[in-house]
Each structure stands twice: as C-alpha cells, then as structure tokens.
Amino acid sequence: MSGPDAEGSSVAVLAEKPSVARDIARVLGATKQGQGYLHGNGYVVTWAIGHLVALAQPHEIQPEWKHWRRDLLPMLPRDWPLVVYEKTQPQFEVVRKILNSPKVARLVCATDAGREGELIFRYIYEAAGCRKPFSRLWISSLTPDAIRKGFGELKDGAAYDPLADAARGRSRADWLVGMNLSRAYTLALDDDLSVGRVQTPTLAMLVERELAIRAFVPEDYMEVVATFSPGADSQYRGTWFREPAKDSIQMAMRLPADGEEAGRIVARARTGEARIASIQSETQRMAPPLLYDLTELQRHANRLYGFSAQKTLETAQALYESRKLISYPRTDSRHLSEDVARTLPAVVRAIQPPYQALLAPGTGERPLGRRFVDDSKVTDHHAIIPTTVHAGDLTADERKIYDLICRRLLGAWHDDHIWAVTTVITAIASMSNGGVTDHYHTSGTAVVQRSEERRVGKECRSRWSPY
C-alpha cells in the first residue's frame, strides 16, 4: 500500500460510498487525498462502491453448471465462493491493500448500519483474506456530532455476527431461488424467464390486483334521500336503507338502477309520517400519528404528491447522505429510543421556525410518551426524524419530503383530536301502503376538542395534517 502518511495510520475505516467516507474523514481529520482513500491523523478512510464483491456465478462454482440442463437442477453449492466485480476491481484492490497493510492495526466497519451494509463489509473482508480485528460504527445520521459520538461508542464487530449471518442467508436464498428457478421455468416453457425470491411474488401480487381491476364490472344503483324538517329553522337529510342492514350501511342503501323499488319508497315517504326512531352519539378520538418509517413515508408521499416508492427513497437518501438533514431512512421502526429522544429539544429548535404558528404548547420541551419512545420497538434504526442541521437550498422534491418529516415529528406533541359521531335513524310509517315502515340513516360529526394540528383548517390539511 502506498497510502498512509509518514506518521503511520493505525486504524482503517471502510465506508459504503465515497460521499460517506468523505464525511467521516472530515470528522476524523483524515484530510489527505490518496488514490481511492483519504488519510491523516492516524486514520485511513476508504470506501466500497456499493457491492464490490458478490457470490460466484454457477459456472464459477462448478464448470458443468454453465450448461442449462434439467438434469443438473437443483444446483446446491457446498461452498459459496466470492468473486470481485470486474468494473470495481481497481477499488477492491485499493481496499484489500489497506485492510492487509502492516501499518493498519485494526479496522472499523463503517458501511450503512443495516443488514445490507453488514453484508457489503463482510464480503469484502472475506474476499480480501483479512483476519484483523474490527469494530462496528453504528450511526443513524451523518452529522459531525453523530459521527463523533459513533466513534466514541464503537462496538466489537463480533456483536453483529448474527446480523451478518442473516445477511448471508438472504444473499444465498436469492442465489438458490434465482439461479435454479429461472433455469427451471426457462427450460419448461422454452422462453427466457427471470424468477426471483422477492421479484416474482411481488409481480404476482401486482398481476393479481391488475386482473381484479380488469374483471371489475361497475353496477349502477340508486339511493333515496329525504330531507326532514323537525323545526322551522332546522333540516337534515337521511338516506333510506334496508332493514336489517346485513352488509355495510353503504350497501344497505343501494337500490336497483331500474328505479321501480326506489319509486315505491319515494311514494311511501310522501304520504307517510316521520318520527325519530333512535339517536346514538359516540365520542371518538385520534392520537397524533406515529413517526415515519420508510414504508409510511413512501405511502404518504405517494398519496400527497404522487411520488413513486423509489422516488421517495432516493429523495430521502439524498436528504440523509448529501444534505445531512434526516436520520437513516431505510428503517422499519416508527419509534425512538430513549437516547435519541433526549436529543429532540435540539432538533425541534433547529426545525421549528417555519412552523412556529402551528406548534402545540410544550413542543420539544415536554417528554414524549411510549407511543413515540419505546426502546423495545427500535431494532436496527429508529424512526425517521430531522437532524439539527439547518436546511439550505433544497430541490422541490427534497423540500416536500423534508417538510413531511419535520411536520410528522412536530405533530407528536399535539393533543388527541376528539369528535362526536351522532347517528340518527328516522322512521317513516306509511299506513296507506300496507303499514310499511321505511328507515333513513343520518350521520354527522361535531368536534369536541380540536387538536392544534387541526386548528389551521382545511387549507393546511395537505401541508400539515398527516391524517
């Protein structure tokens, strides 16, 4: 290795991407540029370019597996050799030399803190033939403070062996399903087909849904709506429904489109006598929504802005990696740990100015309850939240996603939204038509306690309210 400076770097840090490596190197003081790495202050920081190493192809494991023949299936490797991608071979050689350099005493795995990041490091570590001890950097944001804190709390790499085993299992399962079933279906159907462990069932769900949509046949129906006037200055509308309502109330309101039955109901209403059969009021409440995980963020961005899941992920990844404005986005948790919750006052101070008029009293000051803070519900990463970095110039898409994440966190301090749902059943008895009694359904809501989040009204609903 021609790299480390004269004073000799004793710690090598392997990041997943060049941009992350530069952020880490800046904090560690490794500011000298090398070919494929940065060094200085006792560190050498290098990087992968995503996956530098992968499982070998079938013919690289056993030469006869190069032939697509049914009698060779299933292919079940006894060993799982690793190969280096040709296009990333130069960077792998840089990394391999650094990891095995006599000047490097120990390593830090600084790939993304998750299963896939762990796999990237372990495959490179194994393919490089390295046996040196390593520590694990586990951080959820790329701010300088988070990086410094992470290096102050490095964990023994062996603590993440179960995660590495899960990553290898996922990788090998993908290989077994993809390599074997792609060949089996291609040979059986005489067509080039690709089968994947995740790809194929996902495609099956999409096809099933599309077929259901195509098979849907719309049906016309009629409803009978009556206006009741119990007083000179009061009116309400009720919709006829079939008693008893065996299905949903909406289905019970539907009548054949030919209008014959609807006509008879209207005739009875015009000659009958109306009375209130029942009034029922129920108080309901809605707590502020949980914080975002990636899936919920993707759903909400799609509903509000029409973003695809991939577009939301890419935008969130840019906010995390390049802008340093949010925590790690590839999370499946919607809760915060106690440690992270203690940082919220500083986070709120950083993001609150544009939302000052919408904040509930005590936002960022009052501790959040277990609905939002629960160590037992935080796995690899906590929910997506903003960092203390102040937002500068963002693209329009970045601004939308960042805005959602800020509002979702600030909304956690709001009170429950409480409202009453009143259901009125009005009966019309028609003595001149065989004593038939028709029932009409009326449902309305009245706000009992309006949360601060709802106070701004419909205008801000799409911009602020997450409901």
Side-chain angles (χ1 to χ4, degrees):
M1 179 182 71
S2 60
D5 49 10
E7 66 193 48
S9 295
S10 60
V11 180
V13 181
L14 177 59
E16 188 165 323
K17 303 180 185 74
S19 61
V20 177
R22 286 191 290 270
D23 293 332
I24 292 173
R26 193 176 302 115
V27 171
L28 297 178
T31 56
K32 299 177 183 178
Q33 182 71 52
Q35 187 64 41
Y37 62 91
L38 295 154
H39 60 104
N41 197 33
Y43 292 93
V44 55
V45 182
T46 187
W47 53 83
I49 309 172
H51 285 274
L52 295 180
V53 178
L55 293 176
Q57 294 292 308
H59 66 276
E60 294 171 315
I61 301 174
Q62 290 191 30
E64 62 269 26
W65 285 351
K66 185 174 184 179
H67 305 288
W68 287 44
R69 298 204 324 252
R70 198 169 299 177
D71 61 297
L72 295 176
L73 299 178
M75 299 176 290
L76 303 173
R78 184 166 298 177
D79 299 308
W80 296 89
L82 300 172
V83 296
V84 179
Y85 290 120
E86 183 178 351
K87 64 181 180 181
T88 55
Q89 180 76 38
Q91 183 60 22
F92 173 78
E93 287 301 317
V94 170
V95 174
R96 184 184 65 79
K97 289 177 182 179
I98 290 173
L99 298 187
N100 293 308
S101 169
K103 295 182 179 180
V104 171
R106 62 187 181 92
L107 314 176
V108 174
C109 168
T111 49
D112 284 356
R115 187 179 67 179
E116 206 61 21
E118 193 70 22
L119 184 68
I120 288 172
F121 174 80
R122 298 294 181 120
Y123 274 3
I124 293 173
Y125 183 82
E126 293 170 18
C130 188
R131 297 293 182 269
K132 294 179 182 178
F134 65 90
S135 302
R136 187 51 158 111
L137 175 70
W138 196 272
I139 55 178
S140 292
S141 72
L142 292 174
T143 63
D145 286 345
I147 293 171
R148 276 190 287 268
K149 182 179 179 183
F151 270 89
E153 300 174 349
L154 292 174
K155 303 293 194 301
D156 184 359
Y160 294 88
D161 285 348
L163 181 64
D165 291 341
R168 290 191 189 94
R170 193 279 309 156
S171 179
R172 293 174 184 180
D174 283 350
W175 193 101
L176 289 168
V177 172
M179 297 298 181
N180 284 291
L181 292 186
S182 292
R183 293 188 179 198
Y185 276 84
T186 295
L187 292 169
L189 300 174
D190 195 25
D191 194 4
D192 289 336
L193 297 172
S194 172
V195 178
R197 181 183 62 89
V198 176
Q199 159 196 312
T200 301
T202 302
L203 180 60
M205 289 189 289
L206 292 173
V207 170
E208 183 179 12
R209 179 60 178 163
E210 178 63 23
L211 291 176
I213 292 171
R214 293 183 182 183
F216 175 75
V217 179
E219 295 182 2
D220 293 333
Y221 63 90
M222 298 187 73
E223 291 180 348
V224 174
V225 180
T227 300
F228 300 97
S229 301
D233 299 324
S234 62
Q235 285 187 341
Y236 68 93
R237 290 158 63 87
T239 304
W240 178 93
F241 68 99
R242 195 180 307 277
E243 275 271 303
K246 297 179 181 179
D247 299 314
S248 66
I249 189 67
Q250 287 76 20
M251 294 300 296
M253 292 174 176
R254 297 181 180 181
L255 294 161
D258 59 17
E260 292 184 9
E261 186 176 0
R264 292 193 293 270
I265 294 170
V266 170
R268 292 197 296 267
R270 285 173 174 164
T271 60
E273 180 179 341
R275 62 179 178 81
I276 300 295
S278 67
I279 299 178
Q280 182 178 1
S281 184
E282 179 184 8
T283 299
Q284 299 184 3
R285 62 195 307 139
M286 182 185 296
L290 295 175
L291 303 175
Y292 284 123
D293 61 3
L294 177 59
T295 301
E296 179 62 18
L297 179 62
Q298 289 169 321
R299 286 174 180 158
H300 202 191
N302 176 264
R303 189 162 67 247
L304 291 181
Y305 308 122
F307 286 7
S308 67
Q310 184 63 28
K311 181 174 183 177
T312 299
L313 172 59
E314 290 172 354
T315 305
Q317 198 71 23
L319 290 170
Y320 165 68
E321 286 186 12
S322 304
R323 307 293 191 177
K324 315 295 185 294
L325 289 174
I326 66 170
S327 61
Y328 187 72
R330 295 173 183 263
T331 177
D332 59 359
S333 176
R334 303 187 67 181
H335 294 78
L336 302 176
S337 65
E338 294 281 357
D339 286 345
V340 173
R342 283 192 282 271
T343 70
L344 291 181
V347 172
V348 170
R349 285 194 297 271
I351 67 173
Q352 70 180 16
Y355 311 102
Q356 195 67 52
L358 304 176
L359 300 183
T363 297
E365 299 170 4
R366 290 185 286 108
L368 294 176
R370 285 182 63 83
R371 177 171 175 79
F372 300 99
V373 182
D374 189 342
D375 285 342
S376 68
K377 294 182 179 179
V378 177
T379 51
D380 291 347
H381 295 280
H382 56 73
I384 304 172
I385 60 172
T387 67
T388 55
V389 174
H390 291 275
D393 292 332
L394 301 178
T395 67
D397 291 344
E398 288 174 342
R399 176 62 64 186
K400 289 175 180 176
I401 296 299
Y402 181 64
D403 181 63
L404 287 179
I405 295 169
C406 289
R407 290 175 184 273
R408 182 58 64 99
L409 175 64
L410 295 173
W413 279 273
H414 288 281
D415 295 330
D416 290 357
H417 186 69
I418 305 174
W419 70 99
V421 178
T422 301
T423 301
V424 178
I425 303 300
T426 307
I428 298 181
S430 177
M431 302 307 296
S432 61
N433 287 278
V436 176
T437 300
D438 294 303
H439 293 86
Y440 292 76
H441 179 276
T442 305
S443 182
T445 61
V447 174
V448 176
Q449 176 179 318
R450 187 183 301 274
S451 73
E452 288 295 311
E453 191 168 12
R454 296 291 185 121
R455 180 177 58 80
V456 293
K458 294 181 180 179
E459 174 196 355
C460 292
R461 187 171 177 129
S462 65
R463 296 187 293 109
W464 171 254
S465 174
Y467 305 121

